[in-house]
Amino acid sequence: MRTPAAKRYQRRFAVTMALYVLAVFAWSWGRTSFAPDGAALIALSVMPALPVIGALVAMGLYLVEETDEFVRQRIVTAMLFGIGVVLSVSTVIGFLQYAGVVTSVDVFWGFPLWCFAWGLAQCGLALRDRVAGAGA
């Protein structure tokens, strides 16, 4: 059963991701249709990042609003795992770039990688808890 805080988080996150999709389409269309430069290009380029920032705020609010200590601890543990994955991958890629083994990697992949690792950790924790519960 989802907690009320989880329901609010999922609603907020869904809205920010819908806005992100719209912003990416608007960014792509605006760049190709108008070829902006200067401040207009900067504003257009920042636009898709705003919903991502909103998603991070939604995640922070989820942690603040969640009253179930067990659920909150699992969220934090999974988030820390995601941060560890992103920092590890970033470090490896950085050294590969310095060595000339790989070319540049777009940094905006950090957030999707973190979300993927966070979700993977949540699945792993849920499986661990289910197995532990079955053995009890």
Side-chain angles (χ1 to χ4, degrees):
M1 183 172 105
R2 294 182 311 169
T3 65
K7 291 176 186 176
R8 287 190 300 273
Y9 158 71
Q10 289 174 333
R11 194 170 38 256
R12 291 170 183 153
F13 189 79
V15 168
T16 60
M17 289 299 98
L19 290 172
Y20 174 71
V21 170
L22 291 174
V24 168
F25 279 116
W27 168 78
S28 180
W29 176 77
R31 274 190 34 214
T32 57
S33 298
F34 302 108
D37 60 356
L41 180 59
I42 292 170
L44 188 64
S45 297
V46 168
M47 183 179 54
L50 297 177
V52 172
I53 294 167
L56 290 167
V57 169
M59 292 172 188
L61 288 171
Y62 181 24
L63 282 175
V64 169
E65 295 174 353
E66 183 56 68
T67 57
D68 186 321
E69 293 293 328
F70 177 75
V71 172
R72 188 175 17 215
Q73 179 58 42
R74 281 187 36 177
I75 295 166
V76 170
T77 300
M79 286 179 167
L80 287 172
F81 178 83
I83 290 169
V85 168
V86 170
L87 292 175
S88 298
V89 169
S90 299
T91 301
V92 170
I93 289 173
F95 280 106
L96 290 172
Q97 286 175 331
Y98 280 127
V101 177
V102 297
T103 59
S104 67
V105 176
D106 297 324
V107 295
F108 67 80
W109 286 108
F111 180 70
L113 176 61
W114 178 75
C115 287
F116 177 77
W118 179 33
L120 190 64
Q122 287 180 318
C123 290
L125 290 170
L127 181 62
R128 179 200 67 185
D129 294 342
R130 188 172 300 127
V131 168

